[in-house]
Amino acid sequence: MNRTIVCPHCNQPSFTFWQKQVLAPGRKKRCRRCNAMISVGRARFLPQLLLAAAFPIVVIVGFLEFGIVGGVGLAVLMIALGSVYQHYVVTLVVRSTP
């Protein structure tokens, strides 16, 4: 996917889909246009943390209840949900400016 995401500081296209996917509140990425340090908002990222915490439990229950296919299916579903949530709901915020 080659979508470009705009920087919240300069409003110019600066980030790819995959660059946003790996961001977290403690992890910053420099905008290639304005050099501002960009991260994701803490409040909207909280459900991602809860999803990550529930991931092993859901996958283990999937394996126990539905076998290998169910466990793998639930793992893929949770990863897809987290990715969609990160892309469409979690917002980029400016952490520091140059």
Side-chain angles (χ1 to χ4, degrees), residues 29-98:
K29 178 89 175 127
R30 188 173 300 280
C31 172
R32 60 183 170 200
R33 306 266 185 190
C34 67
N35 288 327
M37 295 302 286
I38 307 299
S39 184
V40 293
R42 288 182 178 92
R44 293 218 174 157
F45 190 76
L46 183 61
Q48 282 288 73
L49 294 176
L50 297 175
L51 187 67
F55 182 80
I57 297 166
V58 170
V59 171
I60 289 170
V61 168
F63 277 120
L64 294 176
E65 291 293 322
F66 307 110
I68 291 176
V69 173
V72 170
L74 283 174
V76 169
L77 178 66
M78 289 189 71
I79 291 169
L81 286 174
S83 178
V84 168
Y85 182 84
Q86 177 86 357
H87 184 67
Y88 290 107
V89 179
V90 178
T91 56
L92 293 176
V93 295
V94 179
R95 293 288 179 211
S96 62
T97 56

